[in-house]
């Protein structure tokens, strides 16, 4: 897992960035034991609201990421 902080970016822009990252990850050719495998990316996105601290934002993003994982592969979920 990793976090990407996008300064001056609204949720729509952040979702586009997430889609581009997921697309790039899925395009990486992976070979295991001589067989091709597809890598997927589940992404949780949150917007830092006034008064929200970094810990709260990370917990919210993590929850959104798990929601994306639980609804299928290669999904993006915008959290609260």
């Amino acid at each position: 897992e990793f976090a990407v902080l996008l300064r001056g970016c609204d949720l729509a822009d952040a979702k586009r960035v997430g889609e581009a990252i997921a697309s790039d990850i899925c395009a990486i050719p992976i070979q295991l034991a001589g067989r091709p495998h597809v890598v997927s990316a589940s992404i949780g996105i949150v917007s830092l609201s006034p008064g929200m601290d970094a810990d709260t934002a990370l917990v919210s993003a993590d929850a959104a990421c798990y929601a994306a994982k639980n609804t299928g592969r290669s999904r993006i979920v915008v959290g609260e």
Side-chain angles (χ1 to χ4, degrees):
E1 293 185 16
F2 62 93
V4 176
L5 303 176
L6 303 171
R7 187 174 183 178
C9 194
D10 65 15
L11 282 175
D13 290 336
K15 190 170 181 184
R16 281 191 285 277
V17 170
E19 289 167 347
I21 289 170
S23 177
D24 288 348
I25 288 171
C26 292
I28 298 170
I30 303 291
Q31 292 278 333
L32 295 173
R35 295 183 15 215
H37 289 268
V38 176
V39 178
S40 64
S42 298
I43 298 174
I45 296 175
V46 296
S47 177
L48 190 63
S49 58
M52 181 185 284
D53 62 27
D55 288 336
T56 302
L58 286 174
V59 167
S60 183
D62 194 48
C65 185
Y66 276 102
K69 290 177 183 181
N70 290 332
T71 57
R73 293 179 171 224
S74 294
R75 303 225 184 232
I76 295 174
V77 170
V78 176
E80 298 178 25

